[in-house]
Amino acid sequence: MKDDAPLVYSTEGGRITPPKEAISRPKGDGIVRLSRQTSGRKGKGVCIITGLDLEDTALSQLAAELKKKCGCGGTVSEGSIEIQGDKRDFLKNYLEGKGFHVKLAGG
């Protein structure tokens, strides 16, 4: 092998991205808050569930369970669960049945 041959491939450098840091969410006060939001959604309302003191995997499992029970879509975003539609009463009763202390927040 020649010493003057150009380097074709190397695992030492390149576009190696550092591992993602875990997003640290502030600790809640033990109260789950349900609010309804329509701003920035062209009038379509969503229920936002905040204050859940769960890990990311447990949070996404709870979101999937709520979406199945409500029969609608939703997502997990920055430590909160968004459920499409105005289903605050159902969500409040369901979460209280699971042992959470729930308050309705906002309008």
Side-chain angles (χ1 to χ4, degrees):
M1 185 163 194
K2 293 182 179 180
D3 290 337
D4 59 2
L7 182 65
V8 177
Y9 177 78
S10 174
T11 58
E12 292 182 23
R15 287 183 264 153
I16 299 174
T17 57
K20 292 184 179 181
E21 296 179 15
I23 299 171
S24 63
R25 293 189 294 257
K27 287 285 184 186
D29 55 357
I31 299 173
V32 177
R33 288 181 171 76
L34 272 171
S35 61
R36 184 172 177 269
Q37 188 181 57
T38 58
S39 64
R41 303 175 194 279
K42 298 182 182 177
K44 306 284 185 182
V46 295
C47 290
I48 300 178
I49 305 167
T50 57
L52 292 165
D53 216 10
L54 300 173
E55 296 295 322
D56 291 338
T57 55
L59 197 65
S60 59
Q61 287 175 351
L62 179 63
E65 187 177 330
L66 291 174
K67 290 189 293 186
K68 278 185 183 177
K69 292 289 182 184
C70 291
C72 61
T75 186
V76 177
S77 173
E78 299 175 2
S80 64
I81 299 175
E82 297 178 5
I83 300 292
Q84 293 176 351
D86 188 9
K87 300 182 175 13
R88 285 183 295 176
D89 295 329
F90 174 78
L91 292 171
K92 183 178 189 296
N93 292 333
Y94 188 77
L95 290 172
E96 284 176 343
K98 290 189 110 7
F100 292 105
H101 181 64
V102 182
K103 280 189 179 180
L104 295 179

